[in-house]
Amino acid sequence: MMRTRPLKVALLGCGVVGSEVARIMTTHADDLTARIGAPVELAGVAVRRPDRVREGIDPSLVTTDATALVKRGDIDVVVEVIGGIEPARTLITTALEHGASVVSANKALLAQDGAALHAAAEEHGRDLYYEAAVAGAIPLIRPLRESLAGDKINRVMGIVNGTTNFILDKMDSTGAGYQEALDEATALGYAEADPTADVEGFDAAAKAAILAGIAFHTRVRFDDVYREGMTEVTAADFASAKEMGCTIKLLAICERAEDGGSVTARVHPAMIPLSHPLASVRGAYNAVFVESDAAGQLMFYGPGAGGSPTASAVLGDLVAVCRNRLSGATGPGESAYAALPVSPMGDVVTRYHISLDVADKPGVLAQVATVFAEHGVSIDTVRQQGKDGEASLVVVTHRASDAALGGTVEALRKLDTVRGVASIMRVEGE
């Protein structure tokens, strides 16, 4: 039987995503009612600037007092799309304390304080859903914590930031330099005026923490994620990648150690073979590649940001939470029973592409090879080009630890015949 009393929703934030959430709630009201089993009603919208015109939203619902809104006893679900740490953290906690379930898109907060928020939701018997926090419209959180709950996930590797993928794709396809590609991304609205959070990997690192925590049933915080930006990637790096049959992507990589005793989470640029499914992800799209014991290899692909895609994920969570509300149940909460240690980046084992500027004279290659051997790093291939007394030496290694590679590079810098280390890049996906 259809319930006639509506479920009341409070919306925190009415920017690009929030306004789209409100629009869909209105235009799809009948469908949402049929899918949930009860009407949903927008009961209040908390904003910072109440005088701004918000098309389709009743001005009487707009308030600047977000705290009072989430404390209302008649609110069933609070949707938080304001972002940042505070006041979002306090508002979400207050909402849970006053009986509301929460749907959030706040990756930064969840990566930093997800454990505390989950604990508050459990204490008060309420839901905390956040599909929109990672990869926009792509269904990813729910498949990881529900569809694959009976499987053992070994690796999650993906492109989780559309801005950086657009920039790197432009550099790859047109030969543009980093700044030129960034300028185009900014002009088209893909990059913020201050792109630091994207290009330095902060955004992707927050998402990696969330994904690793869910995939490995272990608490992984933002500070546990190794982060390296992509501002130093050059057109020369792409030329080298093409010679290897690769391209370059900024990847979020979460993986279980081979012995199963620890996990790692990292964000950095990497070369990946053109044969890998992630290599074909173009423009501002996102894609996440999951490897598990039983299901094997899965890839989730789609638009990772923007008002409508992100709102789609928010509304999906809203439907699920409202259904739980009607049935008197709650969905899956935090699963951190494994409590695996998070290993430092020095323990990560992968392949490396190292480009050196060296003197063009006999014996240089032998000196370089000796340094690699002394540090236990095995060389796969070497390519050398020389002209007018100077040369470039490109070394691709077999799998080695980050710590071993770091010691190798430090020793290489001390050689008189090595003028400089032009670039170092990891090689993934093989």
Side-chain angles (χ1 to χ4, degrees), residues 63-430:
T63 178
T64 57
D65 194 344
T67 301
L69 179 59
V70 300
K71 283 184 175 181
R72 279 174 47 179
D74 63 334
I75 297 296
D76 294 289
V77 184
V78 170
V79 174
E80 182 272 312
V81 288
I82 56 178
I85 305 301
E86 288 291 357
R89 173 171 49 197
T90 298
L91 291 170
I92 288 174
T93 303
T94 302
L96 293 168
E97 290 172 349
H98 285 76
S101 290
V102 173
V103 172
S104 176
N106 196 327
K107 54 188 173 287
L109 177 59
L110 288 159
Q112 178 171 305
D113 288 322
L117 297 179
H118 275 294
E122 183 177 358
E123 178 184 354
H124 299 288
R126 294 295 178 246
D127 277 321
L128 173 64
Y129 276 45
Y130 43 90
E131 184 68 65
V134 180
I138 305 173
L140 185 59
I141 301 298
R142 193 172 288 112
L144 287 178
R145 71 177 186 176
E146 296 182 33
S147 304
L148 296 174
D151 206 344
K152 179 185 177 184
I153 297 173
N154 297 308
R155 198 174 204 226
V156 179
M157 180 172 76
I159 299 162
V160 294
N161 183 278
T163 299
T164 55
N165 199 58
F166 179 88
I167 293 170
L168 292 173
D169 184 37
K170 279 295 175 182
M171 293 176 70
D172 184 27
S173 61
T174 68
Y178 166 74
Q179 189 60 51
E180 183 182 351
L182 172 60
D183 290 344
E184 182 174 352
T186 303
L188 293 172
Y190 290 123
E192 301 286 346
D194 179 2
T196 302
D198 294 325
V199 300
E200 293 295 352
F202 290 99
D203 176 84
K207 295 169 181 176
I210 295 170
L211 292 175
I214 296 171
F216 306 131
H217 305 278
T218 292
R219 287 178 179 169
V220 180
R221 301 179 72 250
F222 176 81
D223 292 341
D224 295 323
V225 181
Y226 172 82
R227 177 193 55 79
E228 185 180 315
M230 48 157 279
T231 57
E232 301 301 318
V233 176
T234 66
D237 291 327
F238 274 101
S240 293
K242 287 181 179 180
E243 290 179 358
M244 291 178 58
C246 292
T247 188
I248 299 171
K249 299 292 186 181
L250 184 74
L251 299 178
I253 304 172
C254 314
E255 57 190 353
R256 191 188 300 268
E258 290 185 4
D259 64 5
S262 64
V263 299
T264 58
R266 50 197 166 101
V267 169
H268 54 71
M271 294 182 180
I272 57 172
L274 294 175
S275 58
H276 194 282
L278 290 176
S280 62
V281 179
R282 312 301 296 269
Y285 275 72
N286 283 193
V288 177
F289 198 74
V290 178
E291 300 175 34
S292 68
D293 276 2
Q297 297 179 333
L298 307 168
M299 192 168 89
F300 301 84
Y301 169 85
S308 293
T310 305
S312 171
V314 169
L315 266 294
D317 278 352
L318 179 63
V319 169
V321 168
C322 286
R323 287 172 174 170
N324 290 344
R325 192 85 172 186
L326 288 179
S327 65
T330 56
E334 183 187 34
S335 175
Y337 73 90
L340 297 171
V342 182
S343 296
M345 186 62 186
D347 292 348
V348 170
V349 175
T350 188
R351 298 179 66 207
Y352 291 87
H353 175 282
I354 305 101
S355 180
L356 305 171
D357 295 326
V358 300
D360 186 16
K361 61 182 183 181
V364 173
L365 180 56
Q367 285 184 325
V368 169
T370 297
V371 170
F372 275 87
E374 289 174 346
H375 288 81
V377 179
S378 176
I379 294 176
D380 182 18
T381 62
V382 177
R383 185 174 71 255
Q384 184 173 4
Q385 294 178 323
K387 184 179 181 181
D388 299 329
E390 297 295 329
S392 64
L393 192 64
V394 175
V395 178
V396 179
T397 73
H398 288 290
R399 288 171 62 81
S401 72
D402 190 79
L405 195 283
T408 304
V409 172
E410 185 177 347
L412 287 171
R413 295 183 193 275
K414 295 177 181 179
L415 293 178
D416 292 339
T417 51
V418 175
R419 310 300 192 209
V421 180
S423 69
I424 304 171
M425 192 164 295
R426 297 167 184 87
V427 182
E428 302 284 351
E430 295 184 314

